[in-house]
Amino acid sequence: MDFHKELDTRGLNCPLPILKAKKALADMHSGEILKVVATDPGSMRDFQAFARQTGNELVEQSAANDEFVHYLRRR
């Protein structure tokens, strides 16, 4: 998937990946995609809730090799 910015939150636990994603999205334009790579298994549900609460679109999530990748579209 194409993205405009990538955020590496490996090794960070909740709520840090969400807080860093929120800050990154604030600096992006509407419609741009942010890729977040995390190692916290809880990030799967955390980013789902984050998208619902903020109105940003969770475009895709995947998990492989103990890493979790989230793609968010800035509203």
Side-chain angles (χ1 to χ4, degrees), residues 6 10 20-21 25 34-37 66:
E6 182 171 357
R10 291 176 185 103
K20 289 186 175 288
L25 285 165
L34 173 65
K35 175 183 178 182
V36 182
V37 181
D66 295 326

Side-chain angles (χ1 to χ4, degrees), residues 1 35-41 43-45 47-48 58-72:
M1 172 174 286
K35 175 183 178 182
V36 182
V37 181
T39 50
D40 179 5
S43 69
M44 295 296 277
R45 70 176 180 280
F47 276 99
Q48 292 167 10
L58 183 58
V59 180
E60 185 179 311
Q61 288 183 301
S62 62
N65 303 322
D66 295 326
E67 289 189 348
F68 306 91
V69 181
H70 316 278
Y71 292 92
L72 295 148

Side-chain angles (χ1 to χ4, degrees), residues 14-29:
C14 184
L16 290 174
I18 293 290
L19 294 174
K20 289 186 175 288
K22 183 177 180 181
K23 186 174 194 280
L25 285 165
D27 293 335
M28 296 173 69
H29 296 289

